[in-house]
Amino acid sequence: MDAFRKQEKMSRSEHEAKIKERQDADKRIKDIAEKKKREREVQESKITEVTDDEADKLLKEIEEKRHEMKDEEPEEPAEEAPKDSKNDDDSDNDDPKEKGKLKPNSGNGCDFPNYKWTQTLEEIELRIPLSMTARPRDLCVVINRKNLKAGIKNQEAIIDGDFQHDVKVEECSWVIQDGRILVISIEKVNKMNWWSKLINTDPEIATRKINPDPSKLSDLDDETRGLVEKMMFDQRQKEMGLPTSDEQKKQDVLKKFMEQHPDMDFSKCKFN
């Protein structure tokens, strides 16, 4: 019985301690809830309704202050309009590298009296009008990795010269359209490069003015399409005098670093 009473006393003490602990926790939770309630009531008591007349009065005061601040600001001289207004076709004058180059045709290539060519990032299509109705055996078409020769047999070649870049000979082909037009399909080796000319002796076109067909981008794989879109974005940014995607990333990293180190003085730093 002595052992039983001893264990009973210990058990009751533990039970009472647990009850007290639970009551203290409930009390703390209740106190926190009441504190939040009082804070919320105080905040709500600060919110007062404004009548229509008071609202109009406040708006008038704000407008008057705004006009006063505007009158105090010194007037900046208006920028003079450029004397010689130029259209979009002359925008390449800002870039010395593009000066004097031809504007691309609607197919991002160039038109010449004897032939015309168009291009995508993957291939080039060359169209050569013939002076006679011809059959395949009447023509001479030789396509090599670095050069092209095409024309009517026993006559001077209509086009004969070296490509600006290498081509995939095994993927190139040619057909006669309506008996009077020689159409040559040329596969590029580098599918991330716009050609500025077909043959090295041709005048160059302004590749900055090339506008790829958006519908063709969907035909590219994800990686190539991402690179093309990045290239197009960077080109537009340069034309507007804005930072490219790589330059913007560097600026963001620098800005984040400066925000993380407000104690450092960057006023005398020079960044390239």
Side-chain angles (χ1 to χ4, degrees):
M1 291 297 292
D2 291 340
F4 176 78
R5 291 190 184 94
K6 184 178 179 181
Q7 292 295 330
E8 180 185 13
K9 186 177 180 180
M10 292 173 59
S11 177
R12 286 182 180 277
S13 298
E14 292 177 359
H15 180 66
E16 290 174 356
K18 289 180 179 180
I19 291 175
K20 188 176 184 302
E21 185 179 353
R22 192 181 301 116
Q23 289 175 347
D24 292 341
D26 292 340
K27 187 176 183 299
R28 286 197 298 271
I29 293 173
K30 187 177 180 180
D31 292 340
I32 293 172
E34 290 180 353
K35 183 179 179 181
K36 288 184 177 180
K37 184 179 179 181
R38 287 195 299 270
E39 291 176 352
R40 187 163 54 251
E41 289 175 351
V42 171
Q43 291 178 354
E44 290 176 353
S45 64
K46 292 180 180 180
I47 300 174
T48 57
E49 293 185 358
V50 180
T51 63
D52 294 340
D53 295 337
E54 292 175 341
D56 293 338
K57 185 178 180 181
L58 287 173
L59 289 173
K60 288 180 181 179
E61 291 178 357
I62 293 172
E63 287 295 330
E64 289 175 358
K65 289 182 180 179
R66 186 178 298 172
H67 286 301
E68 290 175 0
M69 292 175 66
K70 189 174 182 180
D71 294 337
E72 291 175 358
E73 291 179 357
E75 295 184 359
E76 297 181 358
E79 296 182 358
E80 295 183 359
K83 296 180 181 179
D84 298 328
S85 58
K86 299 182 179 180
N87 54 24
D88 294 338
D89 294 342
D90 297 331
S91 61
D92 60 328
N93 292 337
D94 298 337
D95 189 350
K97 295 181 180 179
E98 297 293 319
K99 190 174 183 179
K101 295 183 180 180
L102 301 177
K103 182 181 178 181
N105 59 19
S106 58
N108 299 320
C110 195
D111 297 340
F112 297 107
N114 295 333
Y115 60 88
K116 71 175 183 177
W117 62 279
T118 59
Q119 68 173 322
T120 63
L121 280 171
E122 297 178 339
E123 62 181 2
I124 292 174
E125 182 181 271
L126 172 63
R127 303 178 72 87
I128 305 175
L130 303 174
S131 59
M132 54 176 277
T133 302
R135 293 169 293 182
R137 64 185 181 183
D138 298 325
L139 303 180
C140 175
V141 180
V142 181
I143 306 174
N144 293 317
R145 185 178 182 85
K146 294 183 179 294
N147 51 67
L148 167 68
K149 182 178 180 180
I152 300 174
K153 287 182 179 179
N154 302 323
Q155 294 184 17
E156 184 180 354
I158 300 173
I159 182 170
D160 185 3
D162 295 334
F163 289 122
Q164 185 183 26
H165 302 286
D166 293 348
V167 304
K168 290 184 178 180
V169 179
E170 63 276 7
E171 299 295 333
C172 297
S173 61
W174 61 274
V175 296
I176 300 176
Q177 189 177 79
D178 301 329
R180 300 300 297 264
I181 300 176
L182 172 60
V183 182
I184 303 177
S185 298
I186 302 168
E187 189 82 9
K188 296 179 179 180
V189 171
N190 184 356
K191 299 183 184 299
M192 289 302 301
N193 188 25
W194 294 108
W195 287 25
S196 61
K197 53 187 175 182
L198 178 63
I199 302 298
N200 286 333
T201 54
D202 289 344
E204 287 188 291
I205 62 172
T207 53
R208 276 184 53 183
K209 294 185 178 181
I210 286 179
N211 294 313
D213 185 359
S215 62
K216 297 295 183 182
L217 292 177
S218 60
D219 300 334
L220 303 175
D221 59 85
D222 294 340
E223 183 178 0
T224 305
R225 180 177 179 179
L227 291 172
V228 174
E229 291 176 344
K230 178 180 180 296
M231 183 174 61
M232 293 168 60
F233 173 79
D234 290 343
Q235 180 176 321
R236 288 193 299 268
Q237 292 292 98
K238 287 181 179 179
E239 290 176 355
M240 295 185 292
L242 299 175
T244 62
S245 55
D246 293 335
E247 293 170 347
Q248 187 63 49
K249 286 181 181 179
K250 292 178 182 178
Q251 292 180 6
D252 293 340
V253 171
L254 178 61
K255 183 179 179 182
K256 185 177 181 181
F257 179 80
M258 294 174 69
E259 290 176 351
Q260 292 175 349
H261 300 80
D263 54 321
M264 297 180 67
D265 182 15
F266 295 91
S267 58
K268 297 182 180 180
C269 296
K270 295 182 180 180
F271 302 99
N272 296 326

PDB file of all heavy atoms in Angstrom, residues 6 57 80 96 156 237-238 262-263:
ATOM      1  N   LYS A   6       2.673   5.900  -3.011  1.00  0.00           N
ATOM      2  CA  LYS A   6       3.784   6.686  -3.548  1.00  0.00           C
ATOM      3  C   LYS A   6       3.645   6.891  -5.068  1.00  0.00           C
ATOM      4  O   LYS A   6       3.808   7.996  -5.585  1.00  0.00           O
ATOM      5  CB  LYS A   6       5.098   5.966  -3.230  1.00  0.00           C
ATOM      6  CG  LYS A   6       6.318   6.750  -3.669  1.00  0.00           C
ATOM      7  CD  LYS A   6       7.594   6.013  -3.272  1.00  0.00           C
ATOM      8  CE  LYS A   6       8.818   6.777  -3.740  1.00  0.00           C
ATOM      9  NZ  LYS A   6      10.075   6.062  -3.388  1.00  0.00           N
ATOM     10  N   LYS A  57     -12.576  68.655 -52.212  1.00  0.00           N
ATOM     11  CA  LYS A  57     -11.660  69.634 -51.647  1.00  0.00           C
ATOM     12  C   LYS A  57     -10.223  69.114 -51.654  1.00  0.00           C
ATOM     13  O   LYS A  57      -9.280  69.835 -52.009  1.00  0.00           O
ATOM     14  CB  LYS A  57     -12.097  69.976 -50.222  1.00  0.00           C
ATOM     15  CG  LYS A  57     -11.276  71.092 -49.580  1.00  0.00           C
ATOM     16  CD  LYS A  57     -11.799  71.410 -48.193  1.00  0.00           C
ATOM     17  CE  LYS A  57     -10.981  72.517 -47.535  1.00  0.00           C
ATOM     18  NZ  LYS A  57     -11.453  72.824 -46.171  1.00  0.00           N
ATOM     19  N   GLU A  80      15.412  70.480 -80.660  1.00  0.00           N
ATOM     20  CA  GLU A  80      15.180  70.840 -82.041  1.00  0.00           C
ATOM     21  C   GLU A  80      15.035  69.597 -82.900  1.00  0.00           C
ATOM     22  O   GLU A  80      15.739  68.610 -82.700  1.00  0.00           O
ATOM     23  CB  GLU A  80      16.363  71.672 -82.557  1.00  0.00           C
ATOM     24  CG  GLU A  80      16.482  73.017 -81.847  1.00  0.00           C
ATOM     25  CD  GLU A  80      17.615  73.822 -82.429  1.00  0.00           C
ATOM     26  OE1 GLU A  80      18.283  73.299 -83.351  1.00  0.00           O
ATOM     27  OE2 GLU A  80      17.828  74.945 -81.988  1.00  0.00           O
ATOM     28  N   PRO A  96      28.253  52.524 -89.632  1.00  0.00           N
ATOM     29  CA  PRO A  96      29.154  52.632 -90.786  1.00  0.00           C
ATOM     30  C   PRO A  96      29.296  51.318 -91.542  1.00  0.00           C
ATOM     31  O   PRO A  96      29.528  51.324 -92.752  1.00  0.00           O
ATOM     32  CB  PRO A  96      30.487  53.053 -90.142  1.00  0.00           C
ATOM     33  CG  PRO A  96      30.122  53.645 -88.820  1.00  0.00           C
ATOM     34  CD  PRO A  96      28.897  52.919 -88.370  1.00  0.00           C
ATOM     35  N   GLU A 156      27.945  31.402-122.484  1.00  0.00           N
ATOM     36  CA  GLU A 156      28.610  31.937-121.289  1.00  0.00           C
ATOM     37  C   GLU A 156      27.731  31.708-120.063  1.00  0.00           C
ATOM     38  O   GLU A 156      26.506  31.888-120.113  1.00  0.00           O
ATOM     39  CB  GLU A 156      28.881  33.433-121.475  1.00  0.00           C
ATOM     40  CG  GLU A 156      29.664  34.048-120.327  1.00  0.00           C
ATOM     41  CD  GLU A 156      29.931  35.532-120.537  1.00  0.00           C
ATOM     42  OE1 GLU A 156      29.592  36.044-121.632  1.00  0.00           O
ATOM     43  OE2 GLU A 156      30.469  36.179-119.617  1.00  0.00           O
ATOM     44  N   GLN A 237      17.335  45.768 -80.199  1.00  0.00           N
ATOM     45  CA  GLN A 237      17.854  46.587 -79.099  1.00  0.00           C
ATOM     46  C   GLN A 237      18.972  47.502 -79.574  1.00  0.00           C
ATOM     47  O   GLN A 237      19.035  48.677 -79.190  1.00  0.00           O
ATOM     48  CB  GLN A 237      18.361  45.672 -77.971  1.00  0.00           C
ATOM     49  CG  GLN A 237      17.271  44.903 -77.240  1.00  0.00           C
ATOM     50  CD  GLN A 237      16.377  45.807 -76.414  1.00  0.00           C
ATOM     51  OE1 GLN A 237      15.295  46.186 -76.851  1.00  0.00           O
ATOM     52  NE2 GLN A 237      16.828  46.139 -75.234  1.00  0.00           N
ATOM     53  N   LYS A 238      19.858  46.979 -80.420  1.00  0.00           N
ATOM     54  CA  LYS A 238      20.959  47.800 -80.932  1.00  0.00           C
ATOM     55  C   LYS A 238      20.433  48.941 -81.787  1.00  0.00           C
ATOM     56  O   LYS A 238      20.947  50.059 -81.736  1.00  0.00           O
ATOM     57  CB  LYS A 238      21.916  46.929 -81.746  1.00  0.00           C
ATOM     58  CG  LYS A 238      22.780  45.997 -80.900  1.00  0.00           C
ATOM     59  CD  LYS A 238      23.719  45.186 -81.766  1.00  0.00           C
ATOM     60  CE  LYS A 238      24.598  44.274 -80.921  1.00  0.00           C
ATOM     61  NZ  LYS A 238      25.507  43.454 -81.771  1.00  0.00           N
ATOM     62  N   PRO A 262      24.904  47.664 -49.630  1.00  0.00           N
ATOM     63  CA  PRO A 262      24.609  49.109 -49.576  1.00  0.00           C
ATOM     64  C   PRO A 262      25.695  49.914 -48.894  1.00  0.00           C
ATOM     65  O   PRO A 262      25.763  51.128 -49.052  1.00  0.00           O
ATOM     66  CB  PRO A 262      23.287  49.157 -48.793  1.00  0.00           C
ATOM     67  CG  PRO A 262      23.296  47.908 -47.958  1.00  0.00           C
ATOM     68  CD  PRO A 262      24.007  46.864 -48.785  1.00  0.00           C
ATOM     69  N   ASP A 263      26.558  49.255 -48.111  1.00  0.00           N
ATOM     70  CA  ASP A 263      27.605  49.970 -47.401  1.00  0.00           C
ATOM     71  C   ASP A 263      28.781  50.321 -48.300  1.00  0.00           C
ATOM     72  O   ASP A 263      29.627  51.138 -47.924  1.00  0.00           O
ATOM     73  CB  ASP A 263      28.108  49.126 -46.229  1.00  0.00           C
ATOM     74  CG  ASP A 263      28.553  47.737 -46.682  1.00  0.00           C
ATOM     75  OD1 ASP A 263      27.873  47.161 -47.560  1.00  0.00           O
ATOM     76  OD2 ASP A 263      29.568  47.227 -46.159  1.00  0.00           O
TER      77      ASP A 263
END
